[in-house]
Amino acid sequence: AFEKFNYKTGVFSPFVGLKNFEYFFKSSWAWTVTRNTLVINILFLIVGTVCSVVLAIVLNEVKAKKFLKVSQSMMLFPYFISWVIASNIFLTFLSGDGLINKILLALHVTDEPILFFQKGPYFWWIIALANTWKNMGYNAIIYLAAISGIDAELYEAAEVDGANRLQRIWHITLPALRPQIGILLILAIGGILNTGFEQQLLMGNNAILNYSDVLDTYAYRYGMKNGMYSYGTAVGFFKSAVSFILVLAANKITAKLNDSALF
């Protein structure tokens, strides 16, 4: 990251200091890829956390054990699917003649097919929903395990006091989940600049590059495809440094809010 790397000299390449970083910050793409990385990952955090918590609470309320076992197995399935397959599922469903457009046309929501992967702002939501669909089941299992550790007497006492199901969830379940939510948020915020690589590379295209290009794909394009290894490494180093600062900040904030810091 601090050298002008070439094959002949290897690790003994000329030292250039911060020039690679200066080149990145002066580039017109620096703000664009940083913005895309932050927006996509913030959507990951919000949509993913809300959906995972809601799913865990819903599963906890299910009393049919056979249905619960089948549901848990099915919701974990997407987590083990490769992004190559998952991306193709979304590309197929959201294509011009895909299922989603057929439904929208049949319901007269739109008069012509929507080109979802040709409109930049749509991409942020598509990638957030794809990531949530893929990881929601795994995260829900963690929250479900935390819910199962809540003392059953608390629910019984609340029921005796006249609390309905929603009130029990709001006043018992959600407060009990605060430490787990805090810890998972710390871990997620630490990787807030690490939005992923495969999904953006597989689902993005040149028409929406201003919205799909993130720090990882940008470093790949310049570092690997263009042979600018030092520059690509500098971009990766910047991402890691910011992520480290965010981990420390998130840990401190969470510790003050609910005493669930990691360190």
Side-chain angles (χ1 to χ4, degrees), residues 53 56-57 60 142-151 155 173 177:
V53 171
I57 292 172
N60 184 61
I142 297 174
Y143 292 124
L144 194 60
I147 292 173
S148 65
I150 300 173
D151 191 351
Y155 292 104
T173 307
L177 286 176

mmCIF file of all heavy atoms in Angstrom, residues 53 56-57 60 142-151 155 173 177:
data_model
loop_
_atom_site.group_PDB
_atom_site.id
_atom_site.type_symbol
_atom_site.label_atom_id
_atom_site.label_comp_id
_atom_site.label_asym_id
_atom_site.label_seq_id
_atom_site.Cartn_x
_atom_site.Cartn_y
_atom_site.Cartn_z
ATOM 1 N N VAL A 53 -35.207 -10.462 13.926
ATOM 2 C CA VAL A 53 -35.865 -10.409 15.235
ATOM 3 C C VAL A 53 -37.333 -10.779 15.109
ATOM 4 O O VAL A 53 -37.858 -11.570 15.904
ATOM 5 C CB VAL A 53 -35.697 -9.009 15.870
ATOM 6 C CG1 VAL A 53 -36.554 -8.882 17.123
ATOM 7 C CG2 VAL A 53 -34.229 -8.754 16.213
ATOM 8 N N ALA A 56 -37.683 -14.507 14.518
ATOM 9 C CA ALA A 56 -37.424 -15.270 15.737
ATOM 10 C C ALA A 56 -38.614 -15.217 16.688
ATOM 11 O O ALA A 56 -38.992 -16.228 17.289
ATOM 12 C CB ALA A 56 -36.167 -14.726 16.427
ATOM 13 N N ILE A 57 -39.204 -14.031 16.819
ATOM 14 C CA ILE A 57 -40.377 -13.880 17.704
ATOM 15 C C ILE A 57 -41.564 -14.682 17.176
ATOM 16 O O ILE A 57 -42.270 -15.353 17.941
ATOM 17 C CB ILE A 57 -40.739 -12.389 17.858
ATOM 18 C CG1 ILE A 57 -39.647 -11.661 18.648
ATOM 19 C CG2 ILE A 57 -42.087 -12.223 18.547
ATOM 20 C CD1 ILE A 57 -39.803 -10.157 18.691
ATOM 21 N N ASN A 60 -41.007 -18.277 17.820
ATOM 22 C CA ASN A 60 -41.153 -18.566 19.248
ATOM 23 C C ASN A 60 -42.613 -18.709 19.648
ATOM 24 O O ASN A 60 -42.936 -19.424 20.604
ATOM 25 C CB ASN A 60 -40.502 -17.442 20.066
ATOM 26 C CG ASN A 60 -40.528 -17.720 21.556
ATOM 27 O OD1 ASN A 60 -39.972 -18.702 22.030
ATOM 28 N ND2 ASN A 60 -41.178 -16.858 22.302
ATOM 29 N N ILE A 142 -30.068 -17.444 16.192
ATOM 30 C CA ILE A 142 -29.336 -16.870 17.335
ATOM 31 C C ILE A 142 -30.311 -16.171 18.283
ATOM 32 O O ILE A 142 -30.255 -16.350 19.501
ATOM 33 C CB ILE A 142 -28.258 -15.886 16.841
ATOM 34 C CG1 ILE A 142 -27.220 -16.631 15.978
ATOM 35 C CG2 ILE A 142 -27.577 -15.182 18.019
ATOM 36 C CD1 ILE A 142 -26.200 -15.727 15.327
ATOM 37 N N TYR A 143 -31.205 -15.368 17.724
ATOM 38 C CA TYR A 143 -32.198 -14.675 18.554
ATOM 39 C C TYR A 143 -33.170 -15.665 19.193
ATOM 40 O O TYR A 143 -33.582 -15.488 20.342
ATOM 41 C CB TYR A 143 -32.963 -13.652 17.716
ATOM 42 C CG TYR A 143 -32.128 -12.485 17.252
ATOM 43 C CD1 TYR A 143 -32.022 -12.161 15.899
ATOM 44 C CD2 TYR A 143 -31.434 -11.694 18.162
ATOM 45 C CE1 TYR A 143 -31.250 -11.095 15.476
ATOM 46 C CE2 TYR A 143 -30.663 -10.621 17.740
ATOM 47 C CZ TYR A 143 -30.579 -10.326 16.392
ATOM 48 O OH TYR A 143 -29.810 -9.263 15.983
ATOM 49 N N LEU A 144 -33.513 -16.706 18.462
ATOM 50 C CA LEU A 144 -34.432 -17.716 18.995
ATOM 51 C C LEU A 144 -33.809 -18.447 20.181
ATOM 52 O O LEU A 144 -34.495 -18.763 21.166
ATOM 53 C CB LEU A 144 -34.803 -18.710 17.893
ATOM 54 C CG LEU A 144 -35.997 -19.633 18.156
ATOM 55 C CD1 LEU A 144 -37.255 -18.806 18.390
ATOM 56 C CD2 LEU A 144 -36.199 -20.579 16.988
ATOM 57 N N ALA A 145 -32.503 -18.691 20.095
ATOM 58 C CA ALA A 145 -31.796 -19.330 21.213
ATOM 59 C C ALA A 145 -31.809 -18.429 22.445
ATOM 60 O O ALA A 145 -31.953 -18.906 23.580
ATOM 61 C CB ALA A 145 -30.360 -19.647 20.806
ATOM 62 N N ALA A 146 -31.664 -17.108 22.214
ATOM 63 C CA ALA A 146 -31.718 -16.157 23.330
ATOM 64 C C ALA A 146 -33.112 -16.112 23.941
ATOM 65 O O ALA A 146 -33.260 -16.050 25.172
ATOM 66 C CB ALA A 146 -31.309 -14.769 22.845
ATOM 67 N N ILE A 147 -34.141 -16.168 23.095
ATOM 68 C CA ILE A 147 -35.519 -16.146 23.593
ATOM 69 C C ILE A 147 -35.815 -17.380 24.430
ATOM 70 O O ILE A 147 -36.511 -17.307 25.455
ATOM 71 C CB ILE A 147 -36.512 -16.042 22.412
ATOM 72 C CG1 ILE A 147 -36.381 -14.676 21.731
ATOM 73 C CG2 ILE A 147 -37.950 -16.245 22.880
ATOM 74 C CD1 ILE A 147 -37.193 -14.547 20.452
ATOM 75 N N SER A 148 -35.285 -18.529 24.007
ATOM 76 C CA SER A 148 -35.547 -19.775 24.740
ATOM 77 C C SER A 148 -34.937 -19.752 26.140
ATOM 78 O O SER A 148 -35.339 -20.536 27.004
ATOM 79 C CB SER A 148 -34.993 -20.968 23.955
ATOM 80 O OG SER A 148 -33.577 -20.895 23.853
ATOM 81 N N GLY A 149 -33.989 -18.842 26.369
ATOM 82 C CA GLY A 149 -33.365 -18.739 27.685
ATOM 83 C C GLY A 149 -34.097 -17.812 28.637
ATOM 84 O O GLY A 149 -33.702 -17.675 29.804
ATOM 85 N N ILE A 150 -35.151 -17.163 28.160
ATOM 86 C CA ILE A 150 -35.939 -16.269 29.019
ATOM 87 C C ILE A 150 -36.769 -17.109 29.994
ATOM 88 O O ILE A 150 -37.381 -18.111 29.613
ATOM 89 C CB ILE A 150 -36.863 -15.371 28.172
ATOM 90 C CG1 ILE A 150 -36.035 -14.512 27.204
ATOM 91 C CG2 ILE A 150 -37.707 -14.467 29.066
ATOM 92 C CD1 ILE A 150 -36.873 -13.728 26.211
ATOM 93 N N ASP A 151 -36.786 -16.700 31.245
ATOM 94 C CA ASP A 151 -37.532 -17.419 32.286
ATOM 95 C C ASP A 151 -39.021 -17.442 31.940
ATOM 96 O O ASP A 151 -39.655 -16.398 31.761
ATOM 97 C CB ASP A 151 -37.311 -16.732 33.638
ATOM 98 C CG ASP A 151 -37.834 -17.568 34.803
ATOM 99 O OD1 ASP A 151 -38.509 -18.587 34.547
ATOM 100 O OD2 ASP A 151 -37.558 -17.195 35.958
ATOM 101 N N TYR A 155 -43.320 -14.720 31.637
ATOM 102 C CA TYR A 155 -44.493 -14.733 30.759
ATOM 103 C C TYR A 155 -45.751 -15.114 31.541
ATOM 104 O O TYR A 155 -46.824 -14.534 31.320
ATOM 105 C CB TYR A 155 -44.281 -15.712 29.598
ATOM 106 C CG TYR A 155 -43.224 -15.280 28.617
ATOM 107 C CD1 TYR A 155 -41.967 -15.864 28.601
ATOM 108 C CD2 TYR A 155 -43.494 -14.275 27.680
ATOM 109 C CE1 TYR A 155 -41.002 -15.473 27.696
ATOM 110 C CE2 TYR A 155 -42.532 -13.875 26.764
ATOM 111 C CZ TYR A 155 -41.281 -14.472 26.775
ATOM 112 O OH TYR A 155 -40.330 -14.071 25.877
ATOM 113 N N THR A 173 -39.932 -10.039 25.850
ATOM 114 C CA THR A 173 -39.063 -10.635 24.829
ATOM 115 C C THR A 173 -38.049 -9.648 24.269
ATOM 116 O O THR A 173 -36.840 -9.930 24.246
ATOM 117 C CB THR A 173 -39.916 -11.210 23.678
ATOM 118 O OG1 THR A 173 -40.898 -12.100 24.214
ATOM 119 C CG2 THR A 173 -39.039 -11.972 22.699
ATOM 120 N N LEU A 177 -33.814 -9.424 24.520
ATOM 121 C CA LEU A 177 -32.974 -9.585 23.333
ATOM 122 C C LEU A 177 -31.970 -8.452 23.143
ATOM 123 O O LEU A 177 -31.109 -8.536 22.267
ATOM 124 C CB LEU A 177 -33.855 -9.679 22.078
ATOM 125 C CG LEU A 177 -34.622 -10.980 21.854
ATOM 126 C CD1 LEU A 177 -35.504 -10.861 20.627
ATOM 127 C CD2 LEU A 177 -33.663 -12.151 21.706
#
